[in-house]
Amino acid sequence: MPLWHAVQVETRDEEAALPYWAFAWAGGLAIGRYLREHPGAVAGRRVFDLGSGSGLCAIAALRAGATTVAAADIDRFAVAAIELNARANGSRISVVGRDVLDEEPPEVDVIVAGDCWYEAGFAERVLPWLRRAQAAGIEILLGDPGRRYLPTDDLRELAAYEVRTTTELEDLAQKQGRVYALRPA
Ligand SMILES: C[S@@+](CC[C@H](N)C(=O)[O-])C[C@H]1O[C@@H](n2cnc3c(N)ncnc32)[C@H](O)[C@@H]1O
């Protein structure tokens, strides 16, 4: 709450978004665990992290051996956080600070998206964009703890992990974070 308040003061915007970038969300943590256990999912490949927040999934992808990683977020504080966290982890990540969901999918091999299904408006736009990316031959990895707008019928579960979060954000301090592939359309 103090951090959220600081953002509201800094932006002079009482409607300012939650400081998503200040936390490792359960969906992103699950992707991080998955990439540590299955580095082959991204090793030697170009990766794009959608809704990157802190840069967690992007950093995990680089550590798993991705050749290039780009991280996208619409929140300008997230852009700064990704850059700082990448530097602190010795990772080279290019940061995209605009909304890419109305653009053609990027030229990458894998898109990772951690915890992007918490809000109807965002969720409605993400799935068609991911479908376009899939049609272009890009592999999709999603991480999620069972948020309301998760399109479960479109997904195939790859792994489940107990991940530690915080009761400042969630109802429980431990959540089950699952990693999914997008089923073929
Ligand atoms: C719950 S956070 C997840 C952050 C990170 N992936 C993780 O798991 O820790 C969701 C992120 O999506 C970002 N976001 C929302 N709409 C977006 C959009 N249209 N394009 C890119 N990012 C977006 C938010 O700013 C936020 O940082």
Side-chain angles (χ1 to χ4, degrees):
M1 290 306 284
L3 190 56
W4 195 3
H5 181 64
V7 172
Q8 289 166 331
V9 170
E10 178 70 22
T11 56
R12 296 187 189 150
D13 179 4
E14 287 190 2
E15 309 282 303
L18 263 173
Y20 292 107
W21 44 271
F23 299 92
W25 292 81
L29 286 168
I31 289 183
R33 291 273 297 276
Y34 183 79
L35 295 182
R36 198 169 59 187
E37 278 181 12
H38 305 274
V42 292
R45 307 175 86 191
R46 302 162 297 171
V47 176
F48 189 90
D49 178 18
L50 179 74
S52 188
S54 63
L56 165 67
C57 298
I59 293 167
L62 266 180
R63 289 201 167 172
T67 48
T68 62
V69 178
D73 204 291
I74 50 168
D75 183 329
R76 67 186 169 97
F77 290 96
V79 169
I82 297 163
E83 285 168 355
L84 284 170
N85 286 332
R87 211 178 310 150
N89 284 277
S91 306
R92 258 214 250 139
I93 292 169
S94 56
V95 185
V96 179
R98 60 174 192 279
D99 191 335
V100 296
L101 296 180
D102 294 323
E103 301 177 6
E104 283 305 308
E107 288 192 13
V108 296
D109 304 301
V110 183
I111 292 176
V112 293
D115 233 305
C116 290
W117 307 95
Y118 56 95
E119 190 196 58
F122 187 22
E124 270 166 24
R125 295 179 63 223
V126 175
L127 187 60
W129 187 78
L130 291 177
R131 283 280 179 216
R132 291 224 307 272
Q134 186 183 47
I138 300 170
E139 252 178 58
I140 315 291
L141 279 181
L142 308 180
D144 196 89
R147 304 270 182 231
R148 181 163 179 189
Y149 302 102
L150 185 71
T152 37
D153 290 347
D154 293 83
L155 307 178
R156 178 168 58 87
E157 186 177 318
L158 299 175
Y161 302 99
E162 281 295 317
V163 294
R164 196 178 57 185
T165 76
T166 162
T167 49
E168 291 193 49
L169 293 170
E170 312 276 9
D171 51 344
L172 299 168
Q174 295 267 351
K175 289 235 137 185
Q176 181 122 111
R178 295 176 193 276
V179 177
Y180 301 92
L182 191 59
R183 284 184 197 279

